[in-house]
Amino acid sequence: MMTKASDIRTKTVDELQDELLSLKKEQFNLRFQKATGQLENTARVRQVRRDIARTKTIQAQKAASAAKAK
């Protein structure tokens, strides 16, 4: 399931970090499945990659706004 940016924006910095960690683990597992020929849902690789990018972007935005607030 693809995560919407609006859903990600409501999370705290710590929740974003946890989300990013779980997405990276999933990405690793998907790469492993692909290498062993067990990957069934090939579209999930792209979804996870984009979710990681979306999460990192929002993390950077939150960090920039926090720095600006100081």
Side-chain angles (χ1 to χ4, degrees), residues 3-31:
T3 310
K4 290 189 175 181
S6 58
D7 296 339
I8 297 174
R9 286 186 205 286
T10 61
K11 295 185 178 189
T12 65
V13 176
D14 290 335
E15 288 173 333
L16 285 174
Q17 195 63 37
D18 293 341
E19 176 79 14
L20 189 60
L21 186 64
S22 70
L23 284 168
K24 291 228 177 204
K25 284 180 183 176
E26 184 178 356
Q27 184 183 40
F28 173 80
N29 289 330
L30 288 171
R31 280 201 321 258

Side-chain angles (χ1 to χ4, degrees), residues 40-57:
E40 292 179 13
N41 184 4
T42 56
R44 185 68 185 140
V45 176
R46 184 178 184 186
Q47 287 175 341
V48 170
R49 192 172 68 235
R50 288 184 174 194
D51 284 347
I52 289 172
R54 196 173 286 118
T55 305
K56 282 184 170 183
T57 299

